[in-house]
Amino acid sequence: PVGAENARGGDRAGRGRAPSRRRGCGLAPAGAAALLAGASCLCYGRSLQGEFVHDDVWAIVNNPDVRPGAPLRWGIFTNDFWGKGMAENTSHKSYRPLCVLTFKLNIFLTGMNPFYFHAVNVILHCLVTLVLMYTCDKAVFRNRGLAFATALLFAVHPIHTEAVAGIVGRADVLACLLFLLAFLSYNRSVDQHHVGECFPPTTSPFFLLLSLFLGTCAMLVKETGITVFGVCLVYDFFSLSHKQEKSSNGVIHQRGPQQPASPQPPSLPAHPHRENGKQHRFPHRGAWGGCHSPSPPEPKSSGFPVSPRAVWSLMRYLTARSNRNFLLTMRPFLKRAALVISYVIVILYFRLWLMGGSMPLFSEQDNPASFSPYILTRFLTYSYLLAFNVWLLLAPVTLCYDWQVGSIPLVETIWDVRNLATILLAVVMTLLSLHCLAAFKRLEHKEVLVGLVFLVFPFIPASNLFFRVGFVVAERVLYMPSMGYCILFVHGLRKLCTCLNRWGATTLTVCTALLLLLFSWKTVKQNEIWLSRESLFRSGVQTLPHNAKVHYNYANFLKDQGRNREAIYHYRTALRLYPRHASALNNLGTLTRDTAEAKMYYQRALQLNPQHNRALFNLGNLLKSQERKEEAINLLKDSIKYGPEFADAYSSLASLLAEQERFKEAEEIYQAGIKNCPDSSDLHNNYGVFLVDTGSPEKAVAHYQQAITLSPSHHVAMGNLGRLYRSLGDNSVAEEWYKRFSSSHLHSVLLSNLLQALDAIDKALQLKPKDPKVISELFFTKGNQLREQNLLDKAFESYKAAVELNPDQAQAWMNMGGIQHIKGNYVSARAYYERALQLVPDSKLLQENLAKLDRLEKRLQEVREKDQT
């Protein structure tokens, strides 16, 4: 039968509230929220004890935009996530200024304590879980129990460990929160009274603009946040659009079995569920949480998710709708789509402008498939990686912080058995997509639609579809797509539950509860791995022993800990797995005692990567030690060219130029280094030493002080500043700096060792050895210990006693000259230096010290002449 009524009357009836038929989960909303928050905190509470690990060091500790003392400047909005300029070639182009600001806020409120960084991540994960439950309750499921189950699965899923336990994963967690809020705001902007009719109008421009704002914020936290706009438009078109047509006179047509001539397409079944003149938004009332309670009948189907007849009916239906009247009804949707798409184009253009029009540069070890010259290899590997990521969501058994360099071999032929996984994924996704398209007119299986768009859209930026990414697999990028997986998983359980008898459903429920417990246990164990650098890197070696990158990272950690023998083993293992690893060759060279072997490693590294600035630097220093200074200078210049933010290269090159008395060039190098590396405390300290040596002590003061400002525990700069003030005659200020130097923790440790050494020397002197040379050596050693404590007068007396017993002790004569040099007694200093030079005429250090004296005396003479004039 055809139902007809006055258009306005029909609207009023359609907007009337039907009695609520939404099922709960047996819990009040507050109770469900408390359970979800508790589950999240129990799973991730262990991470609060973690330290800064892996990428946290580069994104926070070493990031010039974030670390303590760094001012809040506009550079945050022009630099990438790691503190490099977006337009630079070495930038990763990861533009996340809002995430960087949250790190700055953390430091401002709580300092560099990693506990509070981790606490923020856990809190954000709890919020995402709660908002996901709310989203599923409002826009996905009819049953609140299913929304709760989806959020619970999301809360405990082990794939989220990297995003939550790793501090840099905050970008994914916070972007996900803003993603959901933008999605909810977009839905709120659409007239909910017209949902189920032809493309409901926009009733709240405020919420539409709020959705754009929140989506932009999500993008400024992490790039994947921009996909929320695509999700909103697809959801708008397929879910909020109409399921019944109105004629131009306002009559609502619904095809019945006796009316083949109805304007509605004849092949699509009508919906029997009507109440108060309006069709219900959710025709399926079944729920997994209450699968045995009676549910209203569903439209009959063939039993297969997508029948050929349904697909053909859909095609005819879409063809029938593509007329002028239908396009007119689409105007509200088209207006929203035009606004969103135009806005996305603008912000994408802005981002491209910010990147300087260039794409990030990655190496072959970052993403091997993208460097393959064969299109088939790239296509098959990228396709398999999609299936691999889905498998990580389904069965997160093997998890690792890094999946590069050999973790997943390339798929090079169509006969590779892994292609079966790709084909299976393609079949499943195709069936689910066709099922949504066939059912969208009836608004059936909205869970599948939302699950698919939440799963697919946020993963598109990481799929290599539009541009090359810098990883093979990254678990934290699955944080947002996992929402779609959780929705589909729970929906599948509900459908399976409706097909089982009571005992089968009970068994399924128990198995699901056990799965949640197993996921929770796995998440807790993964949190323990992320507690420290050592546990994280060691777990990588244990989990993926064929991954060269994890061996390289573990070797770097062992090298930092002074465990050189173990480090050498893992560097060599990395090279065995990936012989083209230039950085492993370079680092292996730094641990090799044999100069010839070290040189060979550096040269091999440069053959693989001629722009490897660290290898250039190390080889340059090695040649410098072999007196091949011109070659060393060229290599150090290249090191600066390819690594302009490498402060050590500037210091080494300037020092080498100063040795050759090319002072103007050396000063230019120091100034360029300070310009490119303004936060390097060592560079400021070394420049201060250079200024003192070249007769500009007043300028040196500022650089010593800047070094201490950048690194408050820089005891070398404190000692240099104290000596400088003493040479300038300002003893009170010098004493102040010596006290600060003495109070530093490092010097306290050294002082303890020095006092023990002095005590041993005094006991040896009390034994009164008969050989004068032995006594002289004891006095000389005692002088060295006293000089380390800045007890220069006592050190001078010990050196004097040493040369009285052994006049050939050249080092003692030179040290006496050095003490007089520091005190400003240049005439006495020269006399002691010259006496030492008579004993060791080839000493370059003595010649340099005498040259420094010449420059200082010349400078003083110029000052005196200016004063006289």
Side-chain angles (χ1 to χ4, degrees):
V2 177
E5 57 184 333
N6 181 272
R8 292 187 179 181
D11 286 347
R12 289 193 188 97
R15 295 178 188 177
R17 293 284 181 183
S20 175
R21 300 176 63 181
R22 180 179 293 275
R23 291 177 185 160
C25 58
L27 281 175
L35 282 177
L36 291 174
S40 300
C41 292
L42 285 174
C43 286
Y44 291 99
R46 189 84 169 89
S47 70
L48 299 178
Q49 302 173 22
E51 58 188 43
F52 295 109
V53 298
H54 198 34
D55 289 340
D56 301 342
V57 177
W58 298 105
I60 299 171
V61 180
N62 295 336
N63 189 336
D65 291 334
V66 175
R67 60 189 174 199
L72 184 61
R73 50 194 177 190
W74 284 106
I76 289 177
F77 295 95
T78 57
N79 293 343
D80 66 11
F81 191 51
W82 316 99
K84 292 185 178 182
M86 283 288 290
E88 294 181 16
N89 290 333
T90 55
S91 170
H92 281 205
K93 314 297 182 183
S94 46
Y95 188 61
R96 306 167 190 173
L98 293 189
C99 187
V100 174
L101 285 175
T102 66
F103 295 150
K104 286 290 292 182
L105 184 61
N106 249 120
I107 293 174
F108 176 76
L109 295 176
T110 61
M112 285 293 289
N113 189 340
F115 173 87
Y116 296 101
F117 283 88
H118 287 291
V120 171
N121 277 27
V122 174
I123 292 170
L124 288 174
H125 179 63
C126 291
L127 290 175
V128 171
T129 303
L130 297 178
V131 176
L132 176 62
M133 181 180 70
Y134 180 83
T135 303
C136 291
D137 183 41
K138 294 296 182 182
V140 184
F141 295 110
R142 179 68 175 173
N143 189 310
R144 288 197 180 102
L146 300 181
F148 173 78
T150 301
L152 183 60
L153 176 61
F154 181 86
V156 303
H157 202 294
I159 202 67
H160 302 151
T161 307
E162 182 178 354
V164 182
I167 297 173
V168 295
R170 181 181 302 179
D172 298 88
V173 182
L174 182 55
C176 186
L177 178 62
L178 294 167
F179 178 102
L180 290 173
L181 294 175
F183 177 76
L184 290 171
S185 297
Y186 186 92
N187 285 352
R188 184 74 181 272
S189 71
V190 176
D191 187 355
Q192 297 299 313
H193 296 301
H194 285 78
V195 170
E197 301 178 11
C198 287
F199 299 104
T202 302
T203 57
S204 177
F206 168 77
F207 280 104
L208 182 59
L209 295 177
L210 180 62
S211 175
L212 294 178
F213 173 75
L214 291 171
T216 304
C217 290
M219 184 198 71
L220 295 178
V221 171
K222 189 167 184 180
E223 299 78 5
T224 50
I226 197 172
T227 58
V228 69
F229 298 122
V231 170
C232 289
L233 292 180
V234 171
Y235 183 80
D236 190 348
F237 183 82
F238 286 105
S239 185
L240 300 180
S241 61
H242 74 285
K243 59 178 178 178
Q244 55 189 8
E245 291 192 6
K246 286 185 182 181
S247 65
S248 58
N249 62 1
V251 176
I252 301 176
H253 300 278
Q254 182 178 15
R255 180 184 177 271
Q258 306 299 325
Q259 286 197 339
S262 173
Q264 191 168 347
S267 57
L268 290 177
H271 289 274
H273 310 295
R274 297 181 61 87
E275 190 170 321
N276 295 337
K278 179 182 176 181
Q279 285 183 302
H280 284 300
R281 188 175 169 187
F282 296 88
H284 289 279
R285 307 300 185 196
W288 177 51
C291 56
H292 302 294
S293 57
S295 59
E298 299 181 358
K300 294 182 179 179
S301 64
S302 62
F304 191 73
V306 183
S307 64
R309 181 182 178 185
V311 176
W312 176 248
S313 300
L314 173 67
M315 295 174 62
R316 292 181 59 193
Y317 174 61
L318 292 176
T319 304
R321 288 176 60 172
S322 57
N323 52 46
R324 187 170 180 274
N325 290 335
F326 172 64
L327 292 176
L328 289 176
T329 63
M330 286 184 65
R331 287 181 63 182
F333 168 76
L334 292 176
K335 288 181 179 179
R336 289 192 295 271
L339 174 64
V340 171
I341 293 172
S342 301
Y343 182 73
V344 170
I345 291 173
V346 170
I347 58 179
L348 286 177
Y349 180 80
F350 168 76
R351 179 178 170 80
L352 186 62
W353 170 80
L354 201 63
M355 293 165 55
S358 62
M359 299 301 291
L361 300 176
F362 297 113
S363 64
E364 183 180 353
Q365 63 186 21
D366 295 326
N367 189 351
S370 65
F371 285 85
S372 174
Y374 305 107
I375 296 177
L376 179 64
T377 299
R378 293 199 299 270
F379 173 76
L380 293 178
T381 303
Y382 290 156
S383 301
Y384 171 71
L385 289 177
L386 297 177
F388 186 86
N389 279 281
V390 172
W391 177 250
L392 286 179
L393 291 172
L394 287 170
V397 178
T398 302
L399 299 177
C400 185
Y401 71 93
D402 198 306
W403 289 86
Q404 297 178 352
V405 195
S407 300
I408 304 175
L410 300 181
V411 182
E412 297 178 323
T413 69
I414 58 174
W415 309 113
D416 194 312
V417 69
R418 290 175 292 174
N419 290 320
L420 294 176
T422 304
I423 294 172
L424 178 62
L425 175 66
V427 170
V428 171
M429 296 297 289
T430 301
L431 290 176
L432 287 173
S433 301
L434 291 176
H435 185 63
C436 283
L437 290 174
F440 93 97
K441 182 174 181 286
R442 304 189 305 270
L443 286 180
E444 292 179 349
H445 302 311
K446 182 183 290 187
E447 301 92 335
V448 179
L449 170 66
V450 179
L452 279 176
V453 294
F454 273 35
L455 176 67
V456 173
F457 274 71
F459 189 76
I460 289 175
S463 65
N464 290 284
L465 183 61
F466 297 109
F467 47 81
R468 175 186 292 161
V469 298
F471 53 84
V472 179
V473 171
E475 291 166 15
R476 63 174 173 250
V477 305
L478 293 175
Y479 189 85
M480 276 199 275
S482 66
M483 295 188 296
Y485 157 77
C486 292
I487 292 171
L488 292 173
F489 184 86
V490 171
H491 173 64
L493 286 178
R494 182 185 75 86
K495 297 295 288 183
L496 183 60
C497 190
T498 58
C499 300
L500 299 174
N501 59 25
R502 185 167 186 174
W503 291 108
T506 302
T507 303
L508 180 63
T509 303
V510 171
C511 290
T512 304
L514 291 175
L515 178 67
L516 291 174
L517 290 175
L518 183 62
F519 274 15
S520 302
W521 174 82
K522 178 69 173 178
T523 301
V524 171
K525 299 300 289 183
Q526 284 296 115
N527 271 265
E528 294 177 359
I529 289 173
W530 282 83
L531 289 179
S532 66
R533 289 180 66 207
E534 181 172 13
S535 62
L536 182 66
F537 294 152
R538 187 175 59 245
S539 74
V541 172
Q542 294 169 350
T543 305
L544 298 175
H546 52 286
N547 182 338
K549 183 70 176 290
V550 297
H551 283 280
Y552 171 75
N553 288 340
Y554 191 38
N556 286 341
F557 169 79
L558 294 170
K559 178 187 173 186
D560 293 342
Q561 298 296 311
R563 297 156 62 179
N564 293 344
R565 183 173 298 178
E566 297 172 79
I568 290 172
Y569 168 78
H570 285 284
Y571 280 134
R572 287 177 174 166
T573 304
L575 288 169
R576 176 174 55 81
L577 295 169
Y578 185 69
R580 297 178 54 80
H581 204 306
S583 294
L585 287 165
N586 172 69
N587 292 0
L588 191 56
T590 63
L591 296 177
T592 304
R593 295 182 179 180
D594 186 352
T595 305
E597 188 178 359
K599 182 179 178 181
M600 180 266 294
Y601 284 129
Y602 298 144
Q603 289 174 338
R604 282 179 58 192
L606 290 172
Q607 288 173 359
L608 295 172
N609 182 5
Q611 299 181 6
H612 198 294
N613 66 308
R614 300 286 174 136
L616 290 165
F617 169 77
N618 290 328
L619 184 57
N621 282 337
L622 188 148
L623 295 178
K624 174 184 173 182
S625 68
Q626 296 178 344
E627 300 300 324
R628 297 165 63 178
K629 295 187 177 179
E630 286 304 319
E631 294 177 69
I633 287 173
N634 291 332
L635 287 169
L636 291 171
K637 285 182 177 178
D638 286 342
S639 177
I640 292 172
K641 176 182 176 182
Y642 298 121
E645 296 179 351
F646 186 26
D648 289 349
Y650 291 99
S651 292
S652 189
L653 177 58
S655 173
L656 182 54
L657 292 170
E659 286 180 16
Q660 296 184 323
E661 298 187 357
R662 296 158 66 175
F663 301 116
K664 185 177 179 181
E665 293 179 63
E667 184 158 12
E668 289 174 355
I669 294 297
Y670 272 125
Q671 290 175 351
I674 289 174
K675 179 181 178 181
N676 291 319
C677 313
D679 299 321
S680 173
S681 57
D682 287 338
L683 191 56
H684 280 282
N685 175 73
N686 295 341
Y687 187 36
V689 173
F690 170 80
L691 290 171
V692 170
D693 292 343
T694 53
S696 301
E698 297 84 3
K699 294 181 181 178
V701 171
H703 289 282
Y704 286 143
Q705 290 176 338
Q706 181 65 16
I708 296 167
T709 301
L710 293 169
S711 178
S713 61
H714 202 302
H715 64 284
V716 176
M718 293 178 191
N720 288 340
L721 194 54
R723 294 187 191 99
L724 177 57
Y725 274 118
R726 176 174 286 183
S727 69
L728 294 174
D730 199 340
N731 292 326
S732 60
V733 179
E735 192 67 26
E736 237 177 78
W737 282 109
Y738 282 137
K739 287 179 180 178
R740 286 187 62 178
F741 173 63
S742 300
S743 64
S744 68
H745 173 69
L746 177 61
H747 185 67
S748 298
V749 175
L750 294 174
L751 185 60
S752 175
N753 295 333
L754 292 173
L755 290 174
Q756 293 176 7
L758 282 172
D759 186 55
I761 293 170
D762 288 336
K763 288 180 180 179
L765 287 170
Q766 288 172 8
L767 296 175
K768 297 181 180 180
K770 294 180 179 181
D771 189 347
K773 288 187 177 181
V774 173
I775 301 174
S776 172
E777 192 64 33
L778 288 171
F779 275 114
F780 172 72
T781 305
K782 183 178 180 180
N784 289 340
Q785 304 298 326
L786 292 167
R787 182 166 57 89
E788 288 295 329
Q789 298 181 56
N790 282 305
L791 301 173
L792 299 182
D793 293 334
K794 291 183 179 180
F796 185 86
E797 294 299 324
S798 292
Y799 289 136
K800 188 175 181 181
V803 297
E804 286 174 354
L805 292 166
N806 181 15
D808 294 334
Q809 177 63 273
Q811 188 67 42
W813 288 110
M814 185 174 70
N815 290 353
M816 291 168 68
I819 290 172
Q820 296 299 323
H821 193 158
I822 290 172
K823 289 184 173 183
N825 300 327
Y826 300 139
V827 176
S828 299
R830 181 179 293 279
Y832 291 124
Y833 284 151
E834 289 175 348
R835 179 63 185 274
L837 194 61
Q838 291 174 4
L839 297 170
V840 281
D842 296 331
S843 173
K844 292 186 177 180
L845 183 58
L846 280 169
Q847 293 171 2
E848 290 176 4
N849 288 345
L850 284 169
K852 291 176 183 178
L853 274 180
D854 291 337
R855 291 193 295 271
L856 285 171
E857 289 175 347
K858 183 179 179 181
R859 173 86 174 179
L860 289 173
Q861 183 63 29
E862 291 175 355
V863 171
R864 291 194 191 101
E865 290 175 359
K866 288 181 180 179
D867 291 341
Q868 290 175 0
T869 56

